[in-house]
Amino acid sequence: IFTGHLGKLRLKVPWTNLYNAPVVAEVDGLYVIAGPASAMKYDPAKEAQELREEKEKQLNAVEEARKKEEEAAAAKDKVPEQDPGFVEKLITQVIKNVQVIVKNIHIRYE
């Protein structure tokens, strides 16, 4: 992104009914000028190597997640689970109720 500006951002937060009413974020008039990061030439060998490294990272991440899940399952048997508190429930509900309205977007790619 080279440049851009936001015309209007309006947040409507229903403080009196935060748990049930939606929080509305309204974006009006977003103007962006974007372009390629650099004028690099395409190298198929380098692209294949990067793709392979990315796949290896993803596999490692999946293995780590599986190990953590197994450890968490073992730890869960030892420690009883606690119910989430009021603040955590409120934050979760507010995030579920967020509405984003976007109007008048202009993106120019050069």
Side-chain angles (χ1 to χ4, degrees):
I1 295 178
F2 297 133
T3 186
H5 75 274
L6 179 62
K8 187 188 321 182
L9 174 64
R10 182 184 303 168
L11 294 174
K12 296 179 185 175
V13 182
W15 294 108
T16 57
N17 193 11
L18 195 57
Y19 193 77
N20 293 322
V23 174
V24 180
E26 185 176 332
V27 176
D28 189 9
L30 178 63
Y31 303 94
V32 177
I33 298 176
S38 64
M40 293 176 49
K41 293 185 178 181
Y42 179 71
D43 184 10
K46 185 176 180 182
E47 182 73 23
Q49 177 67 23
E50 289 176 356
L51 183 62
R52 182 174 171 226
E53 290 174 359
E54 182 64 30
K55 286 181 181 180
E56 287 177 4
K57 286 180 186 178
Q58 289 176 352
L59 286 173
N60 289 337
V62 168
E63 280 186 33
E64 288 295 321
R66 187 183 53 80
K67 287 179 183 178
K68 287 181 181 180
E69 254 182 38
E70 289 174 358
E71 291 172 1
K76 188 177 181 181
D77 294 338
K78 296 176 184 177
V79 179
E81 188 174 321
Q82 296 179 354
D83 289 333
F86 172 74
V87 174
E88 187 174 340
K89 287 181 185 177
L90 179 65
I91 291 171
T92 303
Q93 189 64 28
V94 168
I95 290 172
K96 286 181 182 178
N97 285 339
V98 169
Q99 294 180 0
V100 179
I101 300 170
V102 183
K103 299 177 184 177
N104 298 327
I105 296 179
H106 302 276
I107 300 175
R108 189 170 78 192
Y109 188 80
E110 297 179 343

